[in-house]
Each structure stands twice: as C-alpha cells, then as structure tokens.
Amino acid sequence: MAHASILDIEQEDYEYLQSLCRCRTIQAQIVDRAKILIYKAQGESIAAIAERIDVNVNTVKLCLKKFKEGGIDLALYDKPRPGHPVEITDDAIAWIVALACQRPADLGYSQELWTLKNLHQHIQKNAQEAGFPRLATITKPMVQKILHKSEIKPFKIKYYCEKRDPEFEQKMHDVLLVYKQISLQFKEDGSLTVPEDGVVVHTVSCDEKPGRQAIATTGEDLRPTADTGCVYRDAEYKRLGTLSLLAGIDLLTGEAIPLVSESHKSSDFINLLKKLDSKYPGRDVIRIICDNHSAHKSRETKNYLASRPEGRFVFVFTPTHGSWLNMIESFFSKMTKQMLKGIRVKSKEELAERIYLYFEEVNKEPVVYRWTYKMDEISQDEAVKVGVKSNSN
C-alpha cells in the first residue's frame, strides 16, 4: 500500500498555521484550510483529512492545489473577486508595518517588544485618528497575516555584534596573519619545521572563563535505569562559590594549558604567563593571542613583561568585539558541552580538580586547531615577509 505524500512546509509557516487553528475569531473555512495543510504536512492522506475535518475530498484537493501554485496565502485566503473594493489599502498596510517597526516604549508603553495582542489593540485604538477607519475593526489574524506577508517579526530579537572598533579590519588581518604563519610552520606530512637558528615561535591562544559556579545537589542523582532511561536530579541546588579558569591552547601542538584561580585579576594572568615562561625553552618566542581585557594590559602585567628578556613575549590582540577570532573560544565551547554542562560538585576544590582532570584527558590526544576563515586572503609571501608581529592596541 502506497504511503500518502508529505507536504513540505517551512517551520515558520507551520507555526503560523497552528496559531490560526488556535484563534477563536477567525473564519471557520480559514481554520479548516490551515488544518488541511497541517495534516498533509504530517503525512495524512487526502481522504483521511476530508473525513477528519468533515469536508468534501475536492475541498482538500483544491486547498492543496492552491498551496502548490501560490503558497500559504493563496491556499488560505480567497482572491478578491473582480470589482470587489479593497478593504485594507496599501497605505493602511504601510501604516501597520511602520507601527510594528517602532519600539512600544517610544509610544508610551512599558514593554520593549510588541506582542500581537498589544499591537492589535494599538492599531484599533489609533486607526480612526490616523485616517484608516477600516482598521478599527481589523482582526488579530489579519494583522498577523499582514506582518507575515511583509516578513516583519516585531516579537523576535536576533543579536548581532556591532563593529565598534574603527581598526577592526586591520586588527583582524593581524590575527589572520598569525594563523597563516602557523600553517607555514607545518610540513606537508604534518611535522613541524625547525628554523635554522633553532628559535621556535610558540603561539598560544589565551582567554578566561570567569565566575564558574561550583554547584552542589541537595540530593543524590538517580542514575538511568531500564525504566527511567535518564538521570533524575533534585531541582534544588546549593551555590558553593565561583572559580575563574584561565587557559591557553598551543596552536602548534594542540596542548591545553590551564590555570584555575579564585579571582580574575592581573596577578592571575601573570601566573599563567609564568607557567608558559617555564614551559618553553628560554630562547623561544611565546606569542600570545588574547582579547583586550584590562588584565592583559595592566601596569602590573607590563611590569612583569619588562622583567623578561626582550622579545620573549609577543602579544597579538583581537579587535574589540572580535573575540570569536581567538581559537580558544572553540575549545571553551567544546569544554562546556563535554564537561561543564550540568556539572555538580561537593566543593570548589572538587570543581578545580575536575577542571584540571579534563585538561589532562584532553592532552592525552591533543587536537591541533586549524583556522580556515579568510585564509585565502593572506598570501604566503606576506606571512613570510612580516614575520613575528605584535600589536599593542
């Protein structure tokens, strides 16, 4: 027996259809048409849909035919007949869209974002004064339809990162130049090239995860069984304090170097630098990629760097709001998913021990992180010509 075909509907459109089915003020035939599309998207046959909604099979077929010809709007709403006056003019629609694009707080409301209910009420209340009396009786589904067709989503926030650093492109180029130079340190077989003078440049991607909560359970976790299938945990918990994690990733070897601290100060960052200083041969260069946190540029940090041989440490700073350029962010993301998510401990000391244990486990099979974004924009000649470059911005 052949299976009924499944109607392919975008998730956003599917949610819109569901909202129409929940609406109590919309016409019954529009609700029926929305249900037809939903049921077909779930894989039901035409006959089954017709029986379920109590309509003729031809009604179902017509609705699906209109969807294939013109999408959701054509399937749900009848086209106006010739000579039928347009009830909601283009100017009225433009006014609704303009309202939806405004901030409710600027119009005297408490909320930051519109809800469909608030926007609908505002439109009805102000339509007469704005010169659109027809909109005084507009329905919420019609407002929703207008917004949907205009692709306006005033109820939703998407975050972006504004480039407030006027030298963003140049600083990004400096970081990408470092990644290009790192790639040139590897031979085709994956082994490292040792310079003729024997001085190796070790590039370490550094960052911090401050304020890691040590959280204890108030009751023992119940381990999965054949009946439960998952871990059961008491919803109550106890906060035991916070720790800060400072770490670096050696971009040549993939080795992760951790430092767990009670605080997040310049002295903690200096302790990480001391750890790196003792790790690598004295003649080598330690190049640090990090963000613009004050601890990385403080007087205390500069005093420590001045006590080291000239050229021992070289700093390359990511641009403001450009921390995503730092490869250790990928490591921290992986660490959060694998180890920190849902972690429960009996003390801060246990949290520190388990963090160090995670680094030990990772370093048994280190992963060398490779950067690919915009690498084709950096030529090999430029990378060789520039050499080891630092910036102090």
Side-chain angles (χ1 to χ4, degrees):
M1 180 177 179
H3 293 285
S5 60
I6 297 176
L7 195 65
D8 186 18
I9 298 179
E10 296 284 342
Q11 181 62 31
E12 184 179 333
D13 290 336
Y14 190 84
E15 293 173 357
Y16 171 61
L17 293 172
Q18 288 180 316
S19 69
L20 293 180
C21 294
R22 292 192 295 267
C23 183
R24 298 181 179 180
T25 58
I26 199 170
Q27 295 177 10
Q29 66 176 7
I30 295 178
V31 174
D32 286 345
R33 293 168 184 174
K35 288 180 179 180
I36 289 172
L37 298 178
I38 289 174
Y39 294 152
K40 194 58 181 171
Q42 294 172 352
E44 294 195 24
S45 67
I46 291 177
I49 294 173
E51 182 178 352
R52 186 168 181 175
I53 303 178
D54 193 21
V55 296
N56 190 279
V57 171
N58 291 329
T59 301
V60 178
K61 290 181 178 179
L62 179 61
C63 179
L64 296 176
K65 180 175 180 290
K66 287 184 175 181
F67 175 81
K68 292 177 181 178
E69 291 175 351
I72 282 184
D73 287 340
L74 184 60
L76 293 177
Y77 305 101
D78 295 326
K79 287 183 178 180
R81 296 176 181 176
H84 183 76
V86 179
E87 292 189 16
I88 301 179
T89 64
D90 290 342
D91 287 343
I93 291 174
W95 180 69
I96 291 175
V97 171
L99 277 179
C101 292
Q102 293 186 58
R103 183 169 170 254
D106 293 338
L107 298 176
Y109 296 99
S110 61
Q111 69 263 31
E112 186 69 19
L113 300 178
W114 289 112
T115 64
L116 182 59
K117 178 182 178 181
N118 295 143
L119 179 59
H120 176 238
Q121 290 177 341
H122 182 85
I123 290 170
Q124 288 187 321
K125 181 179 178 181
N126 295 276
Q128 189 75 35
E129 184 179 347
F132 305 107
R134 164 63 182 85
L135 298 184
T137 57
I138 191 173
T139 64
K140 277 198 296 185
M142 181 55 69
V143 174
Q144 189 175 26
K145 177 189 173 184
I146 290 171
L147 296 179
H148 179 77
K149 192 171 183 178
S150 303
E151 297 185 353
I152 300 296
K153 305 171 185 176
F155 326 116
K156 185 176 182 180
I157 293 178
K158 281 188 177 181
Y159 289 91
Y160 73 100
C161 190
E162 184 177 347
K163 294 182 180 180
R164 296 187 177 90
D165 192 332
E167 300 178 7
F168 187 95
E169 295 298 331
Q170 180 57 50
K171 292 178 182 178
M172 180 175 71
H173 182 83
D174 291 342
V175 176
L176 299 184
L177 187 63
V178 172
Y179 294 151
K180 187 69 173 184
Q181 291 170 349
I182 292 171
S183 68
L184 296 178
Q185 290 182 261
F186 289 92
K187 299 178 182 178
E188 290 185 3
D189 62 1
S191 61
L192 287 172
T193 301
V194 179
E196 293 181 1
D197 58 6
V199 177
V200 179
V201 178
H202 304 274
T203 304
V204 183
S205 173
C206 294
D207 200 6
E208 298 89 5
K209 287 183 75 69
R212 301 308 309 173
Q213 283 280 353
I215 299 177
T217 56
T218 54
E220 291 295 325
D221 283 352
L222 303 179
R223 306 310 301 174
T225 66
D227 296 325
T228 61
C230 64
V231 175
Y232 275 74
R233 173 175 287 169
D234 190 338
E236 294 186 6
Y237 58 88
K238 182 179 180 182
R239 298 180 187 272
L240 304 176
T242 61
L243 293 174
S244 290
L245 167 63
L246 295 84
I249 298 290
D250 187 319
L251 300 184
L252 290 180
T253 65
E255 182 181 357
I257 303 103
L259 179 69
V260 179
S261 172
E262 290 276 351
S263 56
H264 183 213
K265 300 184 296 185
S266 297
S267 57
D268 301 309
F269 181 60
I270 292 171
N271 286 335
L272 178 62
L273 296 180
K274 289 180 178 178
K275 194 170 185 177
L276 296 174
D277 190 35
S278 63
K279 176 178 178 60
Y280 298 110
R283 294 178 62 233
D284 290 353
V285 176
I286 304 173
R287 179 166 51 185
I288 306 292
I289 299 177
C290 59
D291 60 23
N292 294 271
H293 189 274
S294 58
H296 303 160
K297 301 180 178 182
S298 68
R299 180 179 301 177
E300 190 176 355
T301 299
K302 291 179 180 178
N303 289 339
Y304 168 73
L305 294 174
S307 71
R308 308 310 302 142
E310 185 177 354
R312 173 61 166 168
F313 285 96
V314 174
F315 278 73
V316 178
F317 294 100
T318 58
T320 304
H321 297 296
S323 59
W324 53 271
L325 286 165
N326 203 342
M327 279 204 271
I328 196 173
E329 294 292 342
S330 298
F331 175 84
F332 279 157
S333 176
K334 181 179 178 181
M335 179 181 181
T336 299
K337 294 176 183 176
Q338 291 184 341
M339 180 256 179
L340 293 176
K341 183 180 179 180
I343 190 171
R344 295 293 183 266
V345 294
K346 292 182 172 60
S347 65
K348 287 201 297 182
E349 291 73 23
E350 182 188 343
L351 177 60
E353 290 171 1
R354 289 175 65 178
I355 289 175
Y356 280 124
L357 178 60
Y358 175 80
F359 277 78
E360 289 179 14
E361 294 169 349
V362 167
N363 286 332
K364 289 178 181 177
E365 296 181 8
V367 175
V368 178
Y369 288 77
R370 305 295 179 113
W371 188 272
T372 57
Y373 177 66
K374 289 195 173 184
M375 279 289 93
D376 56 342
E377 297 181 9
I378 310 293
S379 69
Q380 180 173 331
D381 290 341
E382 181 185 7
V384 173
K385 181 179 178 180
V386 172
V388 179
K389 181 180 179 181
S390 67
N391 69 61
S392 56
N393 297 321

